[in-house]
Amino acid sequence: MDRKLVLNAQLALPRGHRIEVTERVDEHTGDTAVLSLIDLDTGVRYRRAEDARGDVIRWSGRVVDCTITLSPSLRTVITVDADGDGGAGKGARTALRGADAAAEAAKAEADRWGGGDREPEPEPERFW
């Protein structure tokens, strides 16, 4: 699955290079912000000055396209073919919250319809 990263910096990454991305997950909104990016082919590391706080996810992929916009505000748009889910799940904590909510909804529905935890009634004795 392709991911698009938009960064307020100038990062020249050649097409086909493998990269590793570290993102911070905002625990309130679930949004992510790129903290560091490592070009695994050259070993060059790009990193924000701020420390990683909160949930951090790492994912890797291969650069499909890299566009640098030269203007007063530098901007780089990188398209990455991510390995696996590419961190798109936005962290295990977010996924577990959704799974917990689904499990609670299923339990409530089962209780509403009589539940599945009751003992079945014994079959009547058959005689031939």
Side-chain angles (χ1 to χ4, degrees), residues 7-126:
L7 306 165
N8 294 328
Q10 184 175 349
L11 299 137
L13 295 169
R15 185 178 302 157
H17 276 219
R18 297 215 12 92
I19 62 171
E20 179 182 281
V21 180
T22 303
E23 294 178 313
R24 178 184 62 222
V25 179
D26 185 337
E27 56 192 59
H28 300 294
T29 63
D31 292 337
T32 60
V34 176
L35 293 175
S36 71
L37 193 144
I38 303 170
D39 184 339
L40 298 173
D41 293 337
T42 62
V44 176
R45 296 171 185 253
Y46 301 95
R47 187 177 81 112
R48 284 187 178 214
E50 64 190 67
D51 291 331
R53 289 184 219 138
D55 290 339
V56 175
I57 56 173
R58 278 191 174 82
W59 56 275
S60 61
R62 190 168 299 280
V63 175
V64 175
D65 185 46
C66 180
T67 303
I68 300 170
T69 304
L70 300 174
S71 65
S73 61
L74 294 174
R75 189 175 101 159
T76 303
V77 178
I78 306 166
T79 305
V80 181
D81 180 19
D83 300 337
D85 71 349
K90 298 196 179 181
R93 188 172 286 174
T94 304
L96 287 175
R97 269 197 299 263
D100 288 342
E104 289 299 319
K107 286 179 187 176
E109 191 67 17
D111 289 342
R112 187 174 139 226
W113 287 98
D117 58 345
R118 293 184 297 169
E119 289 289 325
E121 293 185 24
E123 290 187 26
E125 189 177 320
R126 295 185 189 178

